[in-house]
Amino acid sequence: MKKKIAVAASAVLAVVLLSGFRGGGWGFHRDPERIKQMITWRLNDKLEDIDATEGQKQAVQGVKDRLFEDGKRLAEEHQATRLEVLTQLESDAPDAQKLHGLVDARIDAARAFAHKVVDAALEVHRVFTPEQRKQLATEYREKMDIR
């Protein structure tokens, strides 16, 4: 049961932190500081919902700030890769080896970031009380319609 709660809490944190990095409506390429502000607001709301202490809030916000910077670098690298792919495909003789290397590099970068998110979620998990973790897990289950 504790493992399920840890996974759910991790997922909640990941969703909140990563939601600003998707390419849709308010995509990262537009204004990173605005996205950081929106993530902070959402995270603050969630922390209020679970009655987090000031110490817990500071710890979680620190993790969010650290992950945000890593995510920002990842998004910037992704943009540069997209431009390189376009350049390759616009050429008369695209370099297949280079394109495959770009794919591999993006996968490796995404994997490394995902592992950082898991480590951050475990760090945050230790900050919350069992009751707070249960509340987060319950809310996540309801939101994701997981039975």
Side-chain angles (χ1 to χ4, degrees):
M1 181 66 172
K2 285 184 180 181
K3 194 177 224 180
K4 287 181 182 179
I5 292 172
V7 170
S10 301
V12 168
L13 177 66
V15 168
V16 169
L17 292 174
L18 295 178
S19 61
F21 296 107
R22 61 191 166 132
W26 45 286
F28 191 83
H29 60 282
R30 295 197 179 141
D31 184 0
E33 287 309 309
R34 175 81 171 130
I35 292 167
K36 185 175 184 178
Q37 183 181 47
M38 293 176 81
I39 292 169
T40 300
W41 289 339
R42 290 180 68 186
L43 189 54
N44 284 340
D45 286 344
K46 186 55 60 185
L47 290 169
E48 288 297 321
D49 289 348
I50 64 169
D51 296 322
T53 66
E54 283 305 312
Q56 289 173 320
K57 290 176 184 178
Q58 288 177 357
V60 172
Q61 291 294 346
V63 171
K64 180 257 318 175
D65 290 342
R66 193 172 67 235
L67 271 183
F68 185 85
E69 291 306 315
D70 290 343
K72 182 177 171 182
R73 277 189 298 281
L74 185 70
E76 290 166 351
E77 292 166 2
H78 182 66
Q79 183 64 21
T81 299
R82 291 173 66 179
L83 290 173
E84 179 59 29
V85 167
L86 181 60
T87 299
Q88 285 294 318
L89 294 176
E90 287 176 333
S91 79
D92 290 335
D95 183 339
Q97 186 174 359
K98 182 164 188 148
L99 288 168
H100 285 284
L102 290 170
V103 168
D104 291 342
R106 297 314 314 140
I107 290 170
D108 291 344
R111 181 182 298 112
F113 183 71
H115 284 286
K116 286 181 182 182
V117 169
V118 169
D119 290 341
L122 293 170
E123 183 180 341
V124 168
H125 180 269
R126 291 187 293 270
V127 169
F128 293 138
T129 67
E131 294 80 19
Q132 289 168 322
R133 292 192 299 264
K134 184 176 180 181
Q135 184 178 350
L136 287 170
T138 299
E139 290 175 13
Y140 183 76
R141 283 184 175 281
E142 290 171 0
K143 183 175 183 171
M144 302 310 286
D145 197 25
I146 299 172
R147 298 181 202 300

